[in-house]
């Protein structure tokens, strides 16, 4: 293992609570019964600056909105945390639905950039002072704001499932047959109906903003022509349909803009149509390399809202599967990072072989290798099969340690790996925190922030293990941290297998439909790529009123431009690979 890697004991959670900071806050902030701070828009900057500078809330964990259509208001919701640990603090800001304007927090937290753009894109909230307030998941010509309650998609049937047309009593039909005109829901962009090709082209030209490369952000001038290069969306090194718009001065990157949304399917709108339990299989389709962690985060959010107790055996099973999930995910990440820098397929095949053995355990337990649909509110769907424990013990006690040693023997000291990774894409710790990065990206910059210890959940506090960090903050450090995390995950799995009790696997009673009490909650877990958060709002009905996913892949991309400036195009491939995005979660 590299000497730059440190195994650090986690810092004790020291972040203050909402009650402890309410009294000295500037005017315009009030403490609500649920512990959230209600803030007037005009006082938002002052309150947040005080929380950051005087109370240690230096990390913007999450930001989203809720459309309270019946009350003619949109509510912006922020979750601030401390990089030293502790539970997040909730801030809520109301704005008029007809003219929603809220001050941007990008000047205080650069990590608000993409999250505010998403809120603008989905809800139409304008963030005053945002440096680049444009749509981020939808295209600029898109009409309407999809997460508002009055927005209707093509082939819309009803607001909530189960639809009346569905089994067992409904008259099922294909939307394309009975709603082939798309109803009256679809608003087409200007000129869409033009039949004359020349007229369409003229309208398209009029609507298009042409930008010369020299008009874009300034960087070091090396005396060559500045130009824009589009990398992706169909590019083997962008890990899916993802585009990077590069501004080059010669071969040096002056600026970079991530362009995403090609795979956006409005996961959150679907989630607000589904029954509460009906969302569980949809979570698998976010980060499909970390599917069981996705399920756990959502299950935990609803459990907190319902005050459900999880049986001991189910808690152990969740930890075992989540840490096996982390191991196989990091194997995949390392293999394809090496693919990206040119070691085509040999390292990845070594990694995939080990990953397949973990997926064998998933398949025997859940019935599926990827789309597991295994977690339930209050526990898990099925008990472990008899063969699981002996096979899992063989894997984590006898097999995986040697496999990681083998990978390190080939890669960690390899001079080509060092040349392509060391000193590339450096992200200093203060910027890693400011950009709201999480997971190995944050810990590779020397910040020992891991939700499993910073804000413990499940039964992680019962096990002996440590947080792996590195100090360089470069591509190589992110690789090293993932290797170290696999070893720590094996320690956790070994302890959980040794302590696995008998007993129930589900608290409460089995039900395909649940009623969640009115209220809201933000739940977060440490997924392989960082902080995966779910913010859910219930109005007491059978479907979530608001269902939001805080995607670590999406938020980590906020720092991509900063990491790439001054490097070459070939380095961009390595830097993006070291962030380890999954587009199913980026776009949602």
């Amino acid at each position: 293992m590299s000497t730059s890697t440190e195994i650090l004991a986690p810092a004790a959670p020291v972040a203050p609570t909402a009650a402890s900071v309410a009294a000295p806050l500037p005017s315009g902030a009030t403490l609500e019964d649920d512990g959230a701070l209600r803030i007037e828009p005009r006082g938002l900057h002052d309150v947040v600056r005080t929380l950051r500078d005087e109370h240690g809330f230096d990390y913007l964990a999450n930001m989203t909105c809720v459309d309270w259509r019946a009350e003619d208001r949109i509510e912006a919701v922020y979750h601030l945390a401390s990089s030293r640990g502790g539970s997040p603090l909730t801030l809520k800001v109301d704005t008029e639905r007809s003219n929603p304007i809220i001050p941007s927090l990008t000047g205080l937290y650069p990590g608000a950039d993409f999250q505010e753009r998403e809120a603008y894109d989905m809800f139409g909230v304008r963030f005053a002072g945002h440096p680049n307030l444009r749509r981020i998941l939808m295209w600029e010509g898109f009409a309407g704001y999809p997460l508002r309650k009055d927005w209707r998609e093509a082939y819309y049937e009803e607001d909530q499932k189960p639809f009346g047309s569905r089994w067992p009593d409904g008259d099922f039909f294909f939307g394309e047959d009975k709603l082939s005109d798309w109803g009256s829901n679809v608003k087409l962009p200007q000129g869409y109906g033009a039949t004359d090709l020349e007229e369409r082209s003229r309208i398209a030209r009029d609507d298009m903003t042409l930008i010369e490369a020299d008009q874009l952000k300034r960087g070091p001038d090396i005396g060559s022509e500045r130009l824009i290069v589009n990398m992706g969306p169909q590019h083997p090194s962008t890990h899916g349909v993802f585009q990077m718009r590069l501004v080059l001065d010669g071969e040096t990157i002056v600026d970079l803009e991530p362009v995403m949304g090609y795979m956006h399917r409005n996961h959150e709108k679907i989630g607000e149509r589904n029954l509460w339990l009906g969302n569980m299989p949809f979570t698998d389709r976010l980060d499909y390399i970390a599917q069981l962690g996705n399920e756990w985060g959502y299950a935990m959010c609803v459990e907190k809202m319902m005050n459900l107790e999880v049986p001991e055996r189910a808690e152990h099973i969740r930890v075992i599967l989540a840490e096996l999930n982390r191991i196989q995910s990091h194997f995949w990440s390392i293999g394809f990072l090496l693919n990206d820098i040119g070691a085509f397929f040999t390292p990845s095949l070594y990694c995939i072989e080990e990953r397949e053995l973990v997926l064998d355990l998933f398949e025997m337990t859940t019935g599926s290798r990827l789309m597991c649909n295994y977690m339930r509110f209050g526990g898990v769907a099925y008990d472990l099969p008899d063969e699981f424990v002996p096979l899992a013990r063989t894997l984590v006690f006898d097999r995986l340690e040697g496999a990681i040693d083998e990978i390190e023997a080939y890669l960690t000291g390899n001079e080509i790996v060092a040349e392509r990774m060391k000193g590339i894409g450096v992200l200093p710790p203060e910027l890693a925190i400011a950009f709201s990065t999480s997971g190995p990206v944050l810990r590779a910059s020397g910040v020992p922030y891991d939700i499993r210890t910073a804000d413990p959940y499940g039964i992680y506090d019962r096990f002996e293990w440590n947080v792996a960090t590195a100090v360089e903050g470069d591509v190589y450090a992110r690789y090293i941290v993932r290797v170290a995390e696999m070893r720590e995950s094996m320690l956790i799995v070994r302890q959980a297998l040794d302590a696995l009790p008998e007993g129930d696997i589900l608290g409460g009673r089995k039900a395909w439909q649940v009623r969640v009490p009115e209220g809201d909650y933000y739940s977060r877990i440490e997924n392989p790529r960082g902080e995966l958060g779910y913010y859910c709002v219930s109005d007491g009905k059978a479907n979530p009123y608001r269902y939001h996913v805080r995607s670590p892949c999406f938020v980590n991309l906020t720092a991509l431009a900063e990491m790439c400036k001054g490097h070459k195009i070939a380095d961009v491939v390595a830097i993006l690979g070291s962030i380890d995005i999954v587009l199913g979660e980026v776009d949602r």
Side-chain angles (χ1 to χ4, degrees):
M1 184 174 296
S2 168
T3 56
S4 68
T5 304
E6 302 177 46
I7 303 295
L8 298 180
V14 294
T17 63
S20 69
V21 301
L25 288 176
S27 60
T30 57
L31 180 63
E32 301 194 329
D33 292 340
D34 61 358
L37 290 177
R38 178 74 60 179
I39 303 171
E40 293 293 326
R42 65 179 179 275
L44 180 61
H45 269 168
D46 290 339
V47 173
V48 171
R49 186 179 290 108
T50 300
L51 290 170
R52 187 192 67 176
D53 298 343
E54 298 181 19
H55 297 288
F57 287 97
D58 57 350
Y59 187 82
L60 175 63
N62 179 55
M63 185 272 152
T64 189
C65 290
V66 182
D67 179 15
W68 297 104
R69 184 187 179 194
E71 302 171 23
D72 197 30
R73 65 185 175 94
I74 290 180
E75 181 180 72
V77 182
Y78 303 82
H79 296 99
L80 306 185
S82 168
S83 60
R84 296 170 295 165
S87 299
L89 172 65
T90 303
L91 311 182
K92 296 181 179 180
V93 183
D94 284 340
T95 183
E96 294 179 359
R97 196 170 184 274
S98 58
N99 186 29
I101 302 176
I102 295 175
S104 171
L105 292 186
T106 51
L108 297 171
Y109 298 106
D113 185 354
F114 286 7
Q115 297 184 74
E116 287 183 351
R117 283 181 62 187
E118 182 184 7
Y120 165 71
D121 197 356
M122 298 289 111
F123 291 92
V125 177
R126 299 194 301 281
F127 293 90
H130 191 288
N132 186 28
L133 193 61
R134 296 183 294 114
R135 289 189 182 270
I136 191 168
L137 296 174
M138 313 305 296
W139 67 293
E140 286 298 324
F142 187 85
Y145 304 107
L147 282 176
R148 287 201 179 196
K149 292 299 182 181
D150 54 356
W151 186 86
R152 302 285 184 261
E153 73 277 16
Y155 308 120
Y156 165 82
E157 289 188 48
E158 300 172 40
D159 273 346
Q160 295 176 329
K161 295 179 181 177
F163 295 154
S165 64
R166 296 303 192 258
W167 181 90
D169 301 319
D171 176 23
F172 177 78
F173 62 89
F174 287 103
E176 292 86 342
D177 295 337
K178 289 196 176 183
L179 301 172
S180 57
D181 60 352
W182 290 6
S184 59
N185 306 319
V186 176
K187 297 178 181 179
L188 301 177
Q190 181 187 8
Y192 185 88
T195 55
D196 182 74
L197 183 60
E198 186 174 332
E199 176 65 7
R200 279 197 187 186
S201 299
R202 184 193 66 77
I203 292 171
R205 286 195 305 272
D206 289 346
D207 287 347
M208 186 181 297
T209 301
L210 298 178
I211 300 175
E212 298 295 335
D214 286 338
Q215 295 177 266
L216 297 170
K217 296 177 186 177
R218 290 291 185 264
D221 188 355
I222 61 174
S224 62
E225 181 182 359
R226 189 164 294 184
L227 69 152
I228 297 174
V229 172
N230 288 301
M231 190 171 177
Q234 282 77 31
H235 191 285
S237 292
T238 56
H239 294 250
V241 280
F242 176 72
Q243 180 183 355
M244 291 179 287
R245 189 171 295 147
L246 311 176
V247 182
L248 302 179
D249 201 342
E251 292 189 10
T252 301
I253 295 164
V254 175
D255 200 7
L256 179 150
E257 180 185 12
V259 182
M260 58 200 78
Y262 293 97
M263 206 159 73
H264 178 68
R265 68 273 194 199
N266 213 340
H267 175 95
E268 294 180 12
K269 189 77 167 185
I270 295 170
E272 291 167 14
R273 296 272 167 83
N274 287 336
L275 297 171
W276 285 95
L277 187 58
N279 278 332
M280 191 62 73
F282 282 82
T283 63
D284 289 324
R285 287 142 174 89
L286 291 164
D287 178 354
Y288 38 79
I289 312 296
Q291 58 277 38
L292 287 162
N294 303 345
E295 295 177 18
W296 191 3
Y298 176 58
M300 195 167 67
C301 183
V302 178
E303 287 159 5
K304 295 292 186 182
M305 297 175 77
M306 296 180 66
N307 198 26
L308 271 178
E309 292 291 331
V310 180
E312 283 288 307
R313 182 171 177 84
E315 289 280 26
H316 282 76
I317 291 172
R318 285 179 170 186
V319 167
I320 291 166
L321 293 178
E323 293 308 312
L324 287 172
N325 209 157
R326 193 181 318 278
I327 292 168
Q328 62 88 16
S329 177
H330 284 347
F331 268 123
W332 186 269
S333 169
I334 291 168
F336 279 87
L337 173 61
L338 268 294
N339 248 24
D340 289 339
I341 66 172
F344 189 65
F345 255 100
T346 300
S348 64
L349 287 176
Y350 277 88
C351 293
I352 289 171
E353 181 179 8
E354 308 308 318
R355 177 175 182 263
E356 289 298 311
L357 297 176
V358 176
L359 295 188
D360 287 344
L361 295 177
F362 291 176
E363 185 175 19
M364 71 163 56
T365 303
T366 72
S368 176
R369 302 179 78 79
L370 284 182
M371 305 298 131
C372 295
N373 187 20
Y374 180 66
M375 304 287 180
R376 293 293 182 268
F377 306 142
V380 295
Y382 326 105
D383 206 344
L384 298 174
D386 293 339
E387 300 86 354
F388 180 92
V389 171
L391 287 174
R393 293 182 70 87
T394 300
L395 197 59
V396 297
F397 282 93
D398 302 333
R399 167 91 187 204
L400 291 179
E401 191 80 47
I404 296 172
D405 289 343
E406 186 176 45
I407 286 172
E408 282 222 88
Y410 289 135
L411 302 179
T412 300
N414 187 293
E415 62 184 27
I416 300 176
V417 168
E419 183 69 24
R420 290 299 311 275
M421 293 186 184
K422 287 188 176 182
I424 304 300
V426 174
L427 189 65
E430 62 277 6
L431 285 182
I433 295 170
F435 276 106
S436 299
T437 64
S438 59
V441 175
L442 179 60
R443 292 189 288 276
S445 294
V447 183
Y449 183 77
D450 187 307
I451 307 299
R452 292 172 292 176
T453 57
D455 190 12
Y457 59 94
I459 54 173
Y460 278 109
D461 56 354
R462 303 183 190 178
F463 304 123
E464 294 292 328
W465 64 282
N466 294 294
V467 176
T469 69
V471 296
E472 291 83 358
D474 56 11
V475 172
Y476 188 80
R478 291 168 210 135
Y479 153 73
I480 284 294
V481 164
R482 289 188 176 97
V483 171
E485 284 190 3
M486 287 195 288
R487 298 187 189 276
E488 295 299 319
S489 290
M490 282 195 298
L491 288 178
I492 296 172
V493 175
R494 289 169 183 170
Q495 294 172 72
L497 286 170
D498 286 342
L500 180 64
E502 297 296 328
D504 295 333
I505 58 166
L506 189 67
R509 61 183 181 85
K510 286 188 176 182
W512 67 273
Q513 181 168 320
V514 298
R515 295 278 178 169
V516 177
E518 289 188 33
D520 64 329
Y521 191 79
Y522 178 64
S523 174
R524 56 190 190 150
I525 69 163
E526 187 65 42
N527 235 24
R529 284 152 194 85
E531 178 173 334
L532 173 67
Y534 289 89
Y535 177 65
C536 292
V537 179
S538 173
D539 58 358
K541 297 180 181 178
N543 312 72
Y545 185 82
R546 179 74 178 101
Y547 166 82
H548 170 66
V549 180
R550 189 272 190 200
S551 157
C553 294
F554 177 74
V555 178
N556 283 349
L557 282 172
T558 316
L560 178 62
E562 186 66 30
M563 288 190 278
C564 290
K565 290 176 184 177
H567 290 296
K568 307 299 184 185
I569 293 179
D571 297 326
V572 173
V573 176
I575 295 167
L576 180 64
S578 74
I579 296 177
D580 185 26
I581 61 172
V582 172
L583 264 296
E585 188 185 273
V586 171
D587 287 355
R588 283 155 290 138

